[in-house]
Amino acid sequence: MNRLIERFLRYVAIDTQSQYGTGTFPSTEKQKNLGNLLVQELLEMGVSEAAMDEYGTVYASIPSNSGEDIPVIGFTAHMDTAPDLPGCNIKPRIIENYDGTDIVLNEEKNIIFSVEKFPRLKVYQGKDLIVGDGTTLLGADDKSGVAVIMELAATLTENPQILHGDVKLCFTCDEEIGNSTKYFDLEKFNCDFAYSMDGGELGEFYYDNFNCGIALVTVNGKVAHTGYAWHRMVNSMEVAMELHRLLDPLAVPAGTRDREGFTHLAELKGDVGATHMRYLVRDHEFSLFEKKKEDLRRIAEFLNGKYGGGTVVLEFEDVMYNMRDKILKMPFIIENVVKCMEELGIEPVIIPVRGGVDGAEITFKGLPCPNLFTGGDNCHTIYEYTCIQSMEQSYKLLVKLCESCLSVGQNQE
Ligand SMILES: [Zn+2]
């Protein structure tokens, strides 16, 4: 078995599940078990600048061997796995030369990974896959990202003939509970641009994510005895329904795709006196994102005119912005990836992400950080799998990207 896959199997064997609401960072102490192993492995490779900080984040640096002043490239991956499903006792199984038919994940429990349900599987006929036993996550999200970055580090330290600039590595905790960038230390990471290695099939390359916001709506009603409510009662639930009906009925998750945004009612609870609604507001275009919030404001104003000031109270919170515009300002970050992929015979698949991504948060902290594929799919489910050949291509792409910084440096002068 090749070393990259051995690495992957070693990392998925370590339970690093994160957990909501523990009040600590990292949320679970066990994530540090993987962090400690990575530091130890990096030190054994001869990467002397490798350490874990108090938050469990591992930073490492491989110094330049080119003798030239070229941009510093970085790579990140997250060490934790999602809290949705069991993350321990993972029993990975390698399926060599996959024949394109249903995969029995667990004979005893009759858990079948079927081609009918997952037609994407067909693409992998003839390739080697890694699957779980249908009772847990596999953890390819994001141990495959961790493995390709670690294999890159091993390759660079063993092969001084591969010329590169400074290469920075970072492994984070608590990504799956939305906290990985909370204590992310940009100064420590210290690079000019970076790539987040997190999921995606062969060739997938993301830098166009949703602008994400939350709108909290409180509707205040007027309570009265139902028998004597004439011209007195305002039923907050009725007003809430009126508000919802005034929104574009097609701008909902089930009515939109590609780069179409939505205003999604995620939560509703109330009684006559008060109703609380939580909307997720999302759009790739910033102007349309703002327009969706403005629509809510206008509706609130209209209803307040009708039922009295203070009936509808709105609160907005912007959670994340689309990194696209910031990434497009440094076009070589994209051009380089496309060029390196083409040299490796990988077709770039540049698609808008209908969600937020970690790289976007890092980008808005000031470090451009698009997301690159690592080969896995069906994350956060018992059908999670990864393709060995895609993972190998992901690793080769990283080596090429490090080498390509040499020409970026020359072009910029
Ligand atoms: Zn992930």
Side-chain angles (χ1 to χ4, degrees), residues 50-61:
M52 181 164 67
D53 73 4
E54 60 185 304
Y55 306 109
T57 313
V58 174
Y59 298 89
S61 175

Side-chain angles (χ1 to χ4, degrees), residues 64-359:
S64 171
N65 63 359
S66 71
E68 290 180 48
D69 185 19
I70 57 175
V72 179
I73 191 170
F75 299 101
T76 80
H78 64 90
M79 296 184 285
D80 65 316
T81 56
D84 318 46
L85 282 169
C88 57
N89 290 323
I90 289 166
K91 298 186 186 73
R93 177 160 61 100
I94 296 178
I95 298 172
E96 280 175 21
N97 193 12
Y98 168 56
D99 64 5
T101 62
D102 290 357
I103 299 168
V104 180
L105 292 180
N106 194 313
E107 203 162 343
E108 199 187 309
K109 298 199 162 110
N110 194 29
I111 300 169
I112 315 284
F113 188 9
S114 79
V115 179
E116 195 193 333
K117 251 185 168 169
F118 300 96
R120 283 290 305 156
L121 263 178
K122 276 265 171 220
V123 175
Y124 293 99
Q125 190 163 357
K127 302 273 195 286
D128 305 321
L129 300 179
I130 307 180
V131 296
D133 74 349
T135 64
T136 65
L137 297 165
L138 172 62
D141 175 17
D142 187 24
K143 307 279 171 68
S144 44
V146 175
V148 294
I149 295 173
M150 289 296 286
E151 191 57 25
L152 166 77
T155 303
L156 295 184
T157 48
E158 284 165 358
N159 296 282
Q161 76 279 11
I162 301 176
L163 295 181
H164 58 84
D166 286 339
V167 178
K168 306 284 180 169
L169 317 179
C170 176
F171 302 103
T172 60
C173 296
D174 287 344
E175 191 268 352
E176 298 291 3
I177 57 167
N179 267 342
S180 67
T181 59
K182 199 166 176 183
Y183 297 105
F184 192 87
D185 190 338
L186 273 191
E187 275 175 34
K188 222 185 248 176
F189 197 31
N190 195 20
C191 41
D192 295 310
F193 61 102
Y195 296 96
S196 160
M197 306 302 300
D198 190 6
E201 292 185 89
L202 184 69
E204 286 184 11
F205 179 28
Y206 310 140
Y207 51 85
D208 187 10
N209 59 287
F210 268 149
N211 292 292
C212 302
I214 294 172
L216 296 174
V217 183
T218 304
V219 184
N220 297 302
K222 286 183 189 142
V223 182
H225 187 294
T226 50
Y228 307 93
W230 194 75
H231 283 196
R232 286 160 82 177
M233 182 193 279
V234 175
N235 185 340
S236 79
M237 294 180 290
E238 298 268 6
V239 180
M241 288 191 281
E242 190 176 349
L243 178 150
H244 189 71
R245 278 198 304 270
L246 288 166
L247 289 166
D248 179 353
L250 284 179
V252 293
T256 50
R257 59 187 166 177
D258 304 328
R259 295 188 94 247
E260 294 166 336
F262 52 72
T263 303
H264 166 60
L265 180 60
E267 202 181 337
L268 169 90
K269 57 180 174 214
D271 50 29
V272 173
T275 297
H276 301 276
M277 308 159 93
R278 186 166 57 90
Y279 283 96
L280 305 183
V281 183
R282 301 192 158 182
D283 208 295
H284 288 95
E285 286 304 325
F286 188 72
S287 61
L288 295 177
F289 174 62
E290 289 295 307
K291 163 94 172 47
K292 286 182 169 61
K293 293 193 280 180
E294 186 53 32
D295 286 348
L296 278 167
R297 274 188 209 104
R298 287 185 57 198
I299 292 170
E301 205 182 317
F302 168 72
L303 293 172
N304 283 335
K306 193 168 166 184
Y307 298 105
T311 304
V312 178
V313 180
L314 281 181
E315 269 173 81
F316 290 107
E317 190 196 330
D318 287 1
V319 178
M320 190 184 287
Y321 299 112
N322 189 349
M323 67 174 129
R324 190 174 81 139
D325 292 345
K326 291 204 182 282
I327 301 290
L328 291 179
K329 281 189 188 136
M330 295 172 82
F332 73 89
I333 297 179
I334 301 166
E335 288 159 11
N336 242 16
V337 170
V338 172
K339 192 175 123 255
C340 292
M341 280 194 190
E342 279 164 358
E343 282 172 21
L344 288 167
I346 304 168
E347 192 182 330
V349 182
I350 301 175
I351 42 178
V353 192
R354 291 182 62 78
V357 286
D358 252 19

